[in-house]
């Protein structure tokens, strides 16, 4: 009975973990606050401070730290050695400067607060670290990982992971009671051997082993092998006195050029996401509301002071290393919090007698509070940073154009449209609001002018007044509708051709009175269907007749939707059995709805 009770308790805990995440994360993402804050709040609710479903957050964090390990492995897989080498200046320049400058500023503040120099150093060392898991997750969610500021943030975080080793060594020196007085040379030698061993195994053994396992065609063994590589590398470097995350990162970098890289990433990804979420839940559970309620003023003061110092320090370092104001601001806010390694530093300091339990608890609470505030950084950035104006270096602005045809939008659709006109020798003017697209097109000999087609003054400058045809090829329904409205009002005699987003958009464009519209995927899908029929062995004549019948029925549906209303158009899409090659038939009146429905092919998706 006791065993059953224990199993039931563990099952309840597992359900509580999964349930809280499933409920909180979608809500917070829907509110634009990100998944990390959702995990933190969910952990707080089910933790000891609120519902008390979990009494030992440290046990959760102990397992969940593997999420950070797997995250670093996946990052390593995406960083080839050549790319990592290109980041060396940021890692050992920007990263080193951040740790030293922020650490010095924080230590000075702690000394002014009245802390002894040794205690001030330990406190500053922990607060100078930032949360690798939270920051990288936010960058990934926002698609900023490969942006210049994202790469620099990653470089700083990577150096912080490296810096934990000498910081822990300094703690041993500062400890009032030395447990050992031997030389550190053996430890350094063990660390070097561990790194060399991981590199050697990864370079010479892993690819042959994975090749053998792949030939065995046992997917679960490949997954087990991927986990073994990550955890084995993490264990090897931990045994050498380094961090587990660093071992996983090195293993990932080594395997980044392996032919099995993509399969390894696919195998690891589910475990990484689950364990990383568990890590954030554990951090949320660790928030001690009782301690915060008792010492809230002191803890909030610590949070405000150290985050302000880090923001100023990181911003100054970023500007010193020639980052722009926008990127420096992003870096400062993203890295303002404390990190996971602060827990390691403070627990070690407590163990060797540098800290007492109260100080360790207060600093740990301050770090957790700062981590909980970090997901708000993107929201703050959105408010304080104005929209970034595109750089127009080397780009001509639309002014005084007079082409017979004005093409608005030079994406995939506009590029194909322009080829027929240019090949015929037609005088064409092309405008686009995407500066990257304009520069890319220039490399292939296209002259594209910068201009926002939704503005009347830009349309006039682009020659809309004298153009015979205006072709709206933008990949944005709202923008297309706005352009159509302006053109029909200001240039009513100009032929207006528009790229339609879908069937509903087509109906709106027809109602607006455009001269020609086409659904962006309709013709390519028809050609694809033609190729499929021919691949099945259907004759060319029968294929042509089938496509003509499909086109005719589509036109009938469209006309009926225009004249009969939305519901009549929806009724046409009810699935009906239809032979592969429908028989030829006489044209019928468009108001015979039932006849049209009976002849309609199975097409349950009206928007297409």
């Amino acid at each position: 009975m006791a065993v059953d009770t224990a199993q039931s308790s563990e099952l309840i805990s597992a359900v509580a973990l999964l349930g809280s995440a499933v409920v909180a994360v979608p809500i917070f993402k829907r509110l634009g606050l990100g998944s990390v804050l959702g995990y933190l709040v969910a952990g707080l609710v089910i933790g000891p401070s609120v519902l008390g479903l979990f009494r030992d957050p440290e046990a959760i964090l102990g397992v969940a730290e593997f999420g950070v390990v797997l995250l670093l492995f996946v990052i390593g897989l995406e960083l080839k050695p050549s790319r990592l080498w290109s980041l060396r200046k940021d890692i050992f320049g920007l990263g080193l400067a951040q740790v030293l400058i922020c650490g010095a500023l924080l230590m000075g503040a702690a000394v002014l607060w009245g802390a002894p120099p040794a205690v001030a150093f330990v406190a500053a060392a922990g607060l100078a670290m930032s949360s690798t898991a939270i920051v990288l997750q936010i960058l990934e969610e926002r698609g900023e990982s490969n942006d210049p500021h994202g790469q620099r943030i990653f470089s700083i975080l990577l150096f912080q992971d490296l810096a934990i080793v000498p910081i822990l060594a300094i703690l041993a020196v500062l400890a009032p009671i030395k447990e050992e007085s031997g030389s550190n040379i053996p430890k350094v030698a063990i660390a070097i051997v561990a790194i060399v061993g991981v590199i050697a195994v990864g370079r010479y053994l892993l690819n042959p082993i994975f090749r053998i396992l792949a030939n065995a065609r046992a997917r679960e063994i490949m997954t087990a092998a991927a986990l073994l590589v990550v955890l084995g590398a993490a264990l090897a470097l931990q045994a050498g006195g380094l961090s587990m995350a660093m071992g996983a990162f090195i293993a990932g970098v080594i395997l980044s050029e392996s032919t099995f890289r993509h399969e390894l990433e696919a195998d690891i990804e589910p475990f990484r996401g689950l364990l990383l979420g568990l890590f954030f839940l554990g951090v949320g559970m660790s928030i001690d509301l009782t301690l915060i309620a008792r010492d809230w003023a002191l803890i909030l003061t610590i949070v405000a002071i150290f985050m302000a110092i880090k923001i100023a320090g990181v911003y100054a370092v970023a500007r010193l290393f020639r980052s722009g104001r926008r990127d420096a601001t992003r870096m400062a806010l993203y890295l303002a919090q404390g990190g996971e390694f602060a827990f390691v530093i403070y627990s070690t300091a407590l163990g060797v007698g540098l800290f007492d339990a109260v100080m360790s608890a207060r600093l740990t609470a301050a770090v957790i509070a700062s981590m909980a505030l970090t997901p708000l950084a993107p929201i703050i950035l959105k408010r304080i940073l104005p929209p970034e104006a595109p750089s127009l270096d080397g780009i001509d602005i639309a002014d005084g154009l007079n082409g017979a045809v004005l093409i608005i939008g030079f994406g995939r659709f506009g590029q194909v449209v322009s080829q027929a006109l240019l090949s015929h020798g037609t005088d064409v003017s092309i405008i686009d609001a995407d500066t990257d697209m304009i520069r890319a097109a220039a490399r292939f000999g296209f002259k594209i002018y910068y201009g926002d087609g939704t503005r009347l003054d830009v349309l006039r400058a682009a020659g809309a007044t004298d153009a015979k045809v205006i072709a709206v090829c933008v990949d944005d329904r709202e923008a297309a509708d706005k352009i159509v409205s302006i053109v029909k009002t200001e240039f009513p005699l100009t032929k207006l051709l528009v790229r339609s987003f879908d069937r509903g958009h087509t109906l709106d464009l027809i109602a607006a009175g455009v001269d020609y519209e086409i659904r962006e995927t309709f013709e390519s899908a028809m050609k694809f269907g033609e190729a499929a029929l021919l691949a099945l062995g259907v004759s060319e004549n029968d294929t042509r007749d089938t496509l003509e019948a499909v086109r005719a029925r589509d036109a009938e549906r469209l006309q009926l939707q225009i004249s009969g209303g939305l519901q009549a158009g929806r009724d046409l899409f009810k699935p009906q059995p239809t032979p592969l090659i429908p028989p030829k038939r006489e044209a019928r009146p468009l108001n015979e709805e039932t006849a049209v429905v009976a002849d309609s092919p199975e097409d349950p998706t009206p928007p297409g």
Side-chain angles (χ1 to χ4, degrees), residues 163-439:
I164 190 66
V165 179
I167 288 174
L168 292 178
I170 294 173
L171 287 186
V173 174
L174 294 177
I177 301 175
K178 294 185 179 181
E179 297 181 358
E180 53 183 358
S181 58
S183 172
N184 286 327
I185 295 178
K187 295 182 179 179
V188 175
I190 292 173
I192 294 174
V193 169
I195 294 174
V196 172
V198 169
I199 293 175
V201 170
R203 187 174 182 86
Y204 298 109
L205 294 182
L206 289 185
N207 267 327
I209 291 174
F210 278 119
R211 196 171 294 114
I212 294 171
L213 296 176
N215 291 334
R217 300 185 182 279
R219 180 62 187 267
E220 68 278 6
I221 296 301
M222 288 293 290
T223 302
L227 289 172
L228 178 62
V229 168
V230 179
L231 300 182
L235 181 62
L237 261 69
Q238 186 187 46
L242 303 174
S243 70
M244 292 192 296
M246 184 56 56
F249 176 77
I250 293 174
V253 172
I254 295 170
L255 291 171
S256 63
E257 294 181 332
S258 168
T259 55
F260 300 97
R261 177 171 72 91
H262 297 294
E263 185 169 358
L264 286 170
E265 188 171 359
D267 289 339
I268 291 296
E269 188 64 30
F271 298 96
R272 183 204 70 131
L274 186 62
L275 288 173
L276 204 55
L278 194 61
F279 174 82
F280 298 135
L281 284 169
V283 172
M285 293 178 203
S286 301
I287 299 176
D288 189 346
L289 292 182
T290 303
L291 175 65
I292 293 176
R294 187 180 70 240
D295 297 332
W296 65 270
L298 177 60
I299 292 173
L300 289 182
T301 301
I302 294 173
V303 171
I305 292 175
F306 97 75
M307 291 189 74
I309 290 174
K310 282 192 74 174
I311 288 173
V314 173
Y315 182 86
V317 170
R319 295 290 288 157
L320 182 65
F321 281 78
R322 300 183 179 180
S323 289
R325 287 188 176 89
R326 295 178 66 89
D327 285 353
T329 303
R330 290 191 184 99
M331 293 167 63
L333 287 181
Y334 282 153
L335 295 172
Q337 81 292 126
E340 303 85 13
F341 284 126
F343 306 145
V344 178
I345 292 172
Y346 294 153
S347 62
T348 303
L350 179 63
V352 298
L354 284 169
F355 275 5
D356 57 33
V358 174
M359 179 177 291
S360 178
R362 287 171 176 170
L363 287 175
T364 299
V367 169
I368 293 173
S370 70
M371 293 170 73
L373 292 173
T374 303
L376 300 177
I379 300 173
I380 297 173
L381 285 168
K382 190 175 181 179
R383 292 184 178 275
I384 67 175
L385 291 180
E388 189 171 8
S391 172
L392 299 180
D393 293 341
I395 295 176
D396 293 330
I397 299 175
D399 188 21
L401 307 183
N402 56 6
V405 177
L406 172 59
I407 295 179
I408 305 173
F410 198 67
R412 292 172 298 171
F413 192 91
Q415 291 168 24
V416 177
V417 170
S418 69
Q419 290 180 20
L421 296 168
L422 294 172
S423 297
H424 190 264
T426 305
D427 188 10
V428 178
S429 299
I430 308 173
I431 64 172
D432 199 293
D434 187 340
T435 55
D436 292 334
M437 175 63 72
I438 294 174
R439 291 190 177 92

Side-chain angles (χ1 to χ4, degrees), residues 20-157:
S20 61
V22 168
V23 171
V25 172
I27 293 174
F28 276 76
K29 292 202 72 171
R30 191 69 176 267
L31 294 174
L33 300 176
S35 63
V36 175
L37 192 57
Y39 281 120
L40 292 173
V41 172
L44 174 62
V45 171
I46 64 176
S49 296
V50 182
L51 297 181
L53 298 178
F54 288 86
R55 295 293 180 185
D56 187 12
E58 294 298 326
I60 299 294
L61 281 172
V63 176
E65 282 179 3
F66 287 110
V68 182
V69 171
L70 295 177
L71 174 64
L72 266 294
F73 177 74
V74 172
I75 291 171
L77 281 177
E78 297 173 354
L79 275 178
K80 293 184 178 180
S82 57
R83 186 180 172 197
L84 186 61
W85 180 251
S86 69
L87 294 175
R88 66 189 184 281
K89 291 182 180 178
D90 283 340
I91 295 172
F92 295 101
L94 182 62
L96 175 62
Q98 183 273 326
V99 171
L100 292 179
I101 291 178
C102 288
L105 291 174
L106 290 166
M107 182 176 174
V111 170
L112 291 176
W113 190 293
V119 173
F121 170 82
V122 177
L127 297 177
M129 302 289 111
S130 301
S131 174
T132 299
I134 291 178
V135 176
L136 291 183
Q137 181 79 357
I138 292 175
L139 289 175
E140 183 179 336
E141 285 184 355
R142 297 181 57 81
E144 299 177 8
S145 298
N146 293 321
D147 291 345
H149 68 277
Q151 292 290 296
R152 291 196 142 191
I153 287 173
F154 171 75
S155 299
I156 291 174
L157 293 171

